[in-house]
C-alpha cells in the first residue's frame, strides 16, 4: 500500500505564552511513500518526524493537507480504522501479561466480524512471534526478557493485525549499541519478509541510511531532501543535509572561486567551470582526499589513526572551519612515511560547494 502525503501541515499553539504565535511542526510536506518500501524519516530533535508519523497513523489531525492510503483518503479516519501497526520507543508491553497475551491483545480487542476465532488468533500471534524470532519465549513475562526481546514483542504485537502500514517511532533508542545493530537488521528482514510499507523515525542518520529504501531528511518542519540513502549522501541539496549525513562527518572549509578555480587558502585545488568569483563554503567528504606527493592541497599532519582496514589522517589547513579535519583511505602499509605534512589531490565528486549565506548547493558545470 503506498501512502501519499499531500501538503501535510501541522501547527501547534506556542506553549510559551509570552512568545505567542504558533509552532509549525510540519510544513507543507508532500511525498509518496512507495508500496512495500521502508522509508526512514530523519532529522534532529524537534524537526517534526514524530508529528508526521502521528498524522499518518491518525493520533494527530493535520492542520492542513491530506493523507491517502492507496487511493483512499484517510485524513479524517480514526487510528483504529486505518490498518496501521505502531511501535514506539518505549515498548509499552503489559507487564502482568505473558508474551503471547501481549501479542494477542490487539486481536482480542477487535469487534464483530473482524474478530477472529481463538484458534486463528493464536495461529496469527504464533506466526508474528516466529517472524520476530521469539516463538520460544511466549510464556514469559516482559520483565523476564532483554530490551531487544521486548522490542521484538512490541513489533510482533504491531504485526499481528496484519497492518497495511507499519510505523516505527525511534524503536531502537532504548537498546544498547550492539542490540541496536542487531535489531535494525531484524526490522529490515521482517519488513522484506512481510512487504509491509514501513515508516521508520530516527534521529540517527547511520541507522536510517543502513536500512531504508528511501530517506526523508527534515529540519524545523520542512523536508530538505528525499531519495535513496546513497543518492542523498552523494548529492545533498544543501549544507544542512551534507552535514547531517555521513560518519565521520563532512569536513568544512572556507573557500573562494577565482577564474573558475576553487582555492582553499592559497591552494588552487580544483577547476569549477561555470561558477562565479566569490566566497564559497566547501564540504569535502573524508574519503575525498587522495594523498599524493604533488597534490594541490597542502596540509599539516597532526597524527595518523590506523584502524585495521582504514587509516585516518588528522590534518590541519588554514582554510578549514575546524582545528583539524579527517581524511580517510584504505590502509596500504605506507602510512608511516608522511612526517608532519601531507599533500592531497581531491576527488571532485566528493567536493561539494555551498552558498556561504544560504547553504544552498552550488554546482559547477559538468565537464
Ligand atoms: P524528537 O526526535 O525530539 O522526538 P521530532 O523530530 O519527532 O523530535 P516533533 O515531536 O514532531 O519532533 O516536534 C516538532 C515540533 O513541534 C517541536 O518544535 C515540538 O516542540 C513541537 N510540538 C510537538 N508536539 C507539540 C504539542 N502537542 N504542542 C506544541 N508543540 C508541539
Amino acid at each position: 500500500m503506498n501512502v501519499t502525503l499531500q501538503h501535510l501541515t501541522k501547527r501547534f499553539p506556542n506553549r510559551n505564552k509570552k512568545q505567542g504565535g504558533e509552532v509549525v511542526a510540519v510544513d507543507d510536506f508532500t511525498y509518496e511513500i512507495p508500496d512495500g518500501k521502508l522509508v526512514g524519516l530523519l532529522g534532529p530533535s524537534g524537526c517534526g518526524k514524530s508529528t508526521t508519523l502521528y498524522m499518518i497513523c491518525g493520533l494527530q489531525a493535520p492542520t492542513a493537507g491530506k493523507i491517502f492510503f492507496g487511493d483512499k483518503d484517510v485524513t479524517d479516519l480514526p487510528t483504529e480504522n486505518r490498518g496501521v501497526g505502531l511501535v514506539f520507543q518505549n515498548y509499552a508491553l503489559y507487564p502482568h501479561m505473558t508474551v503471547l497475551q501481549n501479542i494477542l491483545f490487539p486481536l482480542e480487542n477487535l469487534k464483530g466480524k473482524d474478530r477472529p476465532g481463538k484458534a486463528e488468533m493464536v495461529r496469527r500471534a504464533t506466526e508474528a512471534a516466529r517472524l520476530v524470532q521469539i516463538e520460544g519465549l511466549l510464556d514469559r513475562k516482559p520483565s523476564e526478557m532483554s530490551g531487544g526481546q521486548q522490542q521484538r514483542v512490541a513489533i510482533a504485537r504491531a504485526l499481528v493485525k496484519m497492518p497495511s502500514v507499519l510505523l516505527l517511532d525511534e524503536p531502537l533508542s532504548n537498546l544498547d549499541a550492539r542490540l541496536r545493530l542487531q535489531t535494525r537488521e531484524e526490522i529490515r528482514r521482517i519488513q522484506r519478509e512481510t512487504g509491509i510499507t514501513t515508516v521508520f523515525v530516527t534521529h540517527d542518520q547511520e541507522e536510517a541510511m543502513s536500512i531504508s529504501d528511501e530517506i526523508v531528511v527534515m529540519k524545523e518542519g520542512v523536508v530538505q531532501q528525499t531519495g535513496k540513502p546513497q543518492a542523498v549522501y552523494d548529492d545533498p541539496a544543501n549544507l544542512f543535509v551534507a552535514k547531517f549525513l555521513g560518519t565521520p562527518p563532512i569536513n568544512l572549509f572556507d573557500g573562494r572561486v577565482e577564474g573558475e578555480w576553487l582555492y582553499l587558502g592559497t591552494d588552487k585545488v580544483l577547476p569549477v567551470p561555470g561558477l562565479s568569483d566569490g566566497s564559497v563554503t566547501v564540504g569535502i567528504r573524508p574519503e575525498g582526499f587522495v594523498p599524493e606527493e604533488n597534490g594541490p592541497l597542502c596540509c599539516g599532519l597532526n597524527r595518523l589513526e590506523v584502524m585495521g582496514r582504514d587509516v585516518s589522517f588528522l590534518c590541519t589547513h588554514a582554510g578549514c572551519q575546524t582545528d583539524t579535519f579527517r581524511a580517510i583511505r584504505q590502509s596500504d602499509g605506507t602510512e608511516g612515511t608522511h612526517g608532519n605534512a601531507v599533500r592531497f589531490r581531491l576527488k571532485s565528486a566528493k567536493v561539494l560547494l555551498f552558498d556561504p549565506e544560504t547553504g544552498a548547493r552550488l554546482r559547477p558545470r559538468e565537464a
Side-chain angles (χ1 to χ4, degrees):
M1 171 98 70
N2 59 331
V3 174
T4 308
L5 313 180
Q6 277 181 2
H7 303 293
L8 203 60
T9 299
K10 181 72 185 179
R11 295 187 210 102
F12 293 108
N14 200 331
R15 283 193 188 121
N16 185 333
K17 295 258 163 41
K18 277 191 198 141
Q19 287 175 352
E22 290 180 319
V23 178
V24 185
V26 178
D27 193 7
D28 198 15
F29 187 171
T30 294
Y31 179 59
E32 181 176 330
I33 301 165
D35 181 25
K37 299 291 184 198
L38 193 160
V39 169
L41 265 187
L42 178 64
S45 181
C47 72
K49 310 178 291 287
S50 301
T51 305
T52 303
L53 201 77
Y54 297 158
M55 289 193 281
I56 296 173
C57 70
L59 290 176
Q60 273 173 358
T63 314
K66 291 204 170 302
I67 303 165
F68 292 85
F69 284 7
D71 295 333
K72 187 172 176 192
D73 183 348
V74 300
T75 316
D76 299 319
L77 213 60
T79 304
E80 58 273 21
N81 298 342
R82 290 194 189 192
V84 293
L86 285 168
V87 179
F88 293 104
Q89 174 178 345
N90 52 347
Y91 338 112
L93 300 176
Y94 299 105
H96 58 285
M97 291 185 186
T98 64
V99 167
L100 180 63
Q101 288 165 340
N102 265 284
I103 302 174
L104 281 171
F105 189 78
L107 296 179
E108 285 178 338
N109 268 2
L110 291 174
K111 303 258 163 6
K113 64 176 175 39
D114 291 337
R115 193 171 198 270
K118 185 73 189 173
E120 173 61 9
M121 283 191 204
V122 172
R123 191 195 65 74
R124 275 166 57 177
T126 314
E127 170 60 17
R130 187 198 60 76
L131 256 175
V132 302
Q133 298 179 343
I134 49 160
E135 64 270 47
L137 307 174
L138 290 174
D139 296 330
R140 293 223 193 149
K141 295 269 173 66
S143 61
E144 297 161 353
M145 305 175 85
S146 71
Q149 289 166 336
Q150 290 184 45
Q151 191 56 294
R152 286 169 195 232
V153 178
I155 296 171
R157 192 176 54 181
L159 290 173
V160 78
K161 280 207 296 184
M162 299 193 282
S164 45
V165 181
L166 183 62
L167 303 170
L168 307 166
D169 190 3
E170 302 263 7
L172 309 177
S173 301
N174 288 350
L175 307 180
D176 68 35
R178 198 177 53 82
L179 258 182
R180 283 180 81 108
L181 270 180
Q182 202 184 334
T183 313
R184 83 184 187 200
E185 293 310 318
E186 280 293 286
I187 289 177
R188 187 57 179 149
R189 179 188 60 76
I190 294 161
Q191 194 275 331
R192 286 241 165 93
E193 230 173 289
T194 56
I196 298 176
T197 308
T198 300
V199 183
F200 180 97
V201 162
T202 177
H203 61 272
D204 181 335
Q205 55 92 22
E206 209 177 323
E207 200 162 277
M209 300 267 293
S210 65
I211 64 168
S212 305
D213 293 303
E214 286 191 17
I215 54 171
V216 176
V217 185
M218 297 181 74
K219 177 191 171 199
E220 293 167 8
V222 180
V223 173
Q224 304 291 303
Q225 193 167 0
T226 62
K228 293 203 162 64
Q230 190 64 39
V232 179
Y233 175 84
D234 287 340
D235 196 10
N238 58 37
L239 183 58
F240 174 82
V241 176
K243 281 161 66 177
F244 199 72
L245 299 186
T247 335
I250 196 162
N251 300 297
L252 296 180
F253 294 78
D254 296 318
R256 66 181 198 290
V257 174
E258 251 178 61
E260 304 199 12
W261 275 84
L262 175 65
Y263 288 78
L264 297 180
T266 52
D267 298 336
K268 184 178 180 182
V269 291
L270 273 183
V272 284
L275 291 193
S276 4
D277 288 1
S279 301
V280 284
T281 298
V282 183
I284 309 178
R285 295 280 182 207
E287 66 275 22
F289 300 85
V290 184
E292 215 169 71
E293 210 178 324
N294 296 316
L297 186 69
C298 185
C299 305
L301 177 60
N302 277 6
R303 68 192 161 90
L304 288 170
E305 280 177 11
V306 185
M307 311 257 284
R309 193 193 47 190
D310 292 334
V311 53
S312 281
F313 294 69
L314 289 162
C315 300
T316 56
H317 187 277
C320 187
Q321 291 185 359
T322 44
D323 291 343
T324 56
F325 72 91
R326 187 179 285 269
I328 297 182
R329 68 176 188 116
Q330 275 189 356
S331 169
D332 65 3
T334 63
E335 284 77 40
T337 59
H338 288 280
N340 56 8
V342 59
R343 299 185 78 105
F344 294 108
R345 169 171 66 81
L346 299 178
K347 294 183 188 170
S348 59
K350 299 288 178 184
V351 179
L352 309 169
L353 307 183
F354 304 94
D355 183 310
E357 304 294 324
T358 64
R361 182 83 181 275
L362 302 171
R363 296 170 193 276
R365 204 174 49 232
E366 303 240 336

